[in-house]
Amino acid sequence: MTARNISRFWEWGRKIICVGRNYADHAKELKNAIPTEPILFLKPPSAYVREGSSILVPRYSNNLHHEVELGVVIGKGGTAIPESAAMEHVAGYALCLDMTARDIQDVCKSKGLPWTRAKAFNTSCPVKRLHLPDDFLIPYLISYISEFITLEEGDLILTGTPKGVSAVQEHDQLQAGIQDVVTMSFRVDRQEK
Ligand SMILES: O=C(O)/C=C/C(=O)CC(=O)C(=O)O
Ligand SMILES: [Mg+2]
């Protein structure tokens, strides 16, 4: 565990690495094939938003979805981390939303383009720190990712959404949580012209 206080890890400006189609039930709900290894994409630090600020619907989207995900906060950096040592690199956990402009993602997919405009826009990663026991299936993802992306202290890994994604609207108040553990709440506004 890191000696640094990670309760405000989003203020360090580190990268966010997201795993896609990690759960078969979500792949099925969007009628996607189940991948044989993790699909990865990135969000920039400008994607972070925390309670008290709004999630902004991008001007160019009319179908913004929420995805509720477990986030893993990296406490010690490394490259090519073996699974056996992976948990030594975890500083803690976060409840996260992977906000997704689904209409834009569909266009990107149909054209074979990256998902950046659909997934990496400002406020696309609402977060709240979360306290959990260290008994999740995290080592494989840390080891897989760190083979080709050096992990740094303060990085956040989003581990993928289970099924149950749906659209959100301007003026909605979103509540996300894990029963009896943590909840968070965000208002949704539209990005100004
Ligand atoms: O392939 C799709 O249509 C959608 C994939 C995702 O949005 C991947 C995720 O972000 C996820 O599984 O959490
Ligand atoms: Mg996701």
Side-chain angles (χ1 to χ4, degrees), residues 18-23 26-27 30 32 39 41 67 69 98 100 102 105-106 109 115 119 159-162:
C18 308
V19 181
R21 300 186 197 163
N22 197 23
Y23 291 94
H26 171 60
L30 293 186
N32 289 311
I39 294 173
F41 55 95
E67 298 182 359
E69 307 197 11
D98 171 12
T100 303
R102 199 69 76 193
Q105 187 185 34
D106 288 345
K109 283 167 61 182
W115 298 349
K119 291 277 199 179
T159 55
T161 184

Side-chain angles (χ1 to χ4, degrees), residues 33-182:
I34 298 165
T36 52
E37 58 186 276
I39 294 173
L40 301 181
F41 55 95
L42 296 171
K43 290 179 189 273
S46 48
Y48 278 123
V49 60
R50 55 197 160 113
E51 281 180 306
S53 298
S54 295
I55 297 165
L56 298 180
V57 183
R59 283 191 282 277
Y60 51 79
S61 175
N62 290 308
N63 190 17
L64 183 65
H65 274 198
H66 64 72
E67 298 182 359
V68 186
E69 307 197 11
L70 174 67
V72 180
V73 183
I74 297 299
K76 186 175 80 172
T79 303
I81 299 164
E83 283 188 45
S84 57
M87 295 311 291
E88 295 165 22
H89 294 258
V90 175
Y93 299 96
L95 177 64
C96 307
L97 294 175
D98 171 12
M99 299 305 298
T100 303
R102 199 69 76 193
D103 47 352
I104 306 302
Q105 187 185 34
D106 288 345
V107 172
C108 294
K109 283 167 61 182
S110 70
K111 293 183 176 172
L113 295 173
W115 298 349
T116 310
R117 290 185 83 219
K119 291 277 199 179
F121 54 88
N122 292 347
T123 76
S124 61
C125 190
V127 287
K128 184 171 182 173
R129 182 78 200 282
L130 154 70
H131 297 277
L132 284 181
D134 277 352
D135 59 356
F136 289 87
L137 298 172
I138 304 303
Y140 169 70
L141 290 178
I142 289 179
S143 182
Y144 180 89
I145 292 166
S146 68
E147 276 292 322
F148 49 97
I149 300 175
T150 293
L151 292 175
E152 300 165 276
E153 184 184 6
D155 284 352
L156 178 68
I157 299 172
L158 265 62
T159 55
T161 184
K163 79 167 180 186
V165 303
S166 64
V168 303
Q169 308 290 339
E170 193 178 347
H171 306 315
D172 280 353
Q173 189 74 33
L174 300 188
Q175 304 273 0
I178 299 174
Q179 201 169 6
D180 300 329
V181 178
V182 67

